[in-house]
Amino acid sequence: MTDRFRAVIRPLVTEKSSAAFGTLKEYAFQADPRATKTEIRGAIEGLFDVHVVHIRTLQQRAKRKTRGRTQGTSPRWKKAYVRLKDGESLPVFEG
């Protein structure tokens, strides 16, 4: 990818990601499906000025959706779980 800040699209705040933060101090983000772990690490560290310790990624596959007679698919996307250095936090998730 050319622009490293496009690797991370948005933070994910769900029940599962909130539970992961409570137990493991991990943050969840939606990432570009073509982004690598190194690019995601660079984007998080550059955007929020923190130190990333560990990253786990997974691909969410496309799903077929049906509404009445119309069929379509939701796009595939990548989810990234990011663990930060002890004592650091992100202001995006504080609320």
Side-chain angles (χ1 to χ4, degrees):
M1 297 186 68
T2 56
D3 186 12
R4 70 176 189 166
F5 295 114
R6 290 187 181 211
V8 175
I9 297 172
R10 67 185 176 101
L12 293 175
V13 182
T14 61
E15 290 181 23
K16 187 175 180 180
S17 66
S18 298
F21 175 74
T23 58
L24 300 173
K25 302 296 184 201
E26 287 184 337
Y27 297 95
F29 291 93
Q30 180 180 354
D32 189 309
R34 299 167 297 181
T36 63
K37 289 183 180 183
T38 307
E39 292 171 344
I40 295 170
R41 176 187 303 267
I44 298 287
E45 289 178 349
L47 287 171
F48 300 109
D49 195 32
V50 293
H51 297 92
V52 175
V53 175
H54 185 71
I55 296 178
R56 292 184 298 138
T57 60
L58 59 112
Q59 292 277 350
Q60 295 284 58
R61 64 182 178 181
K63 294 181 184 177
R64 178 170 284 151
K65 300 287 183 179
T66 303
R67 290 199 172 99
R69 295 181 183 174
T70 307
Q71 288 187 351
T73 57
S74 62
R76 71 180 180 98
W77 57 285
K78 182 179 271 190
K79 187 186 296 186
Y81 289 103
V82 178
R83 190 177 305 158
L84 302 180
K85 190 175 179 181
D86 288 339
E88 293 184 344
S89 64
L90 295 179
V92 174
F93 289 88
E94 297 174 3

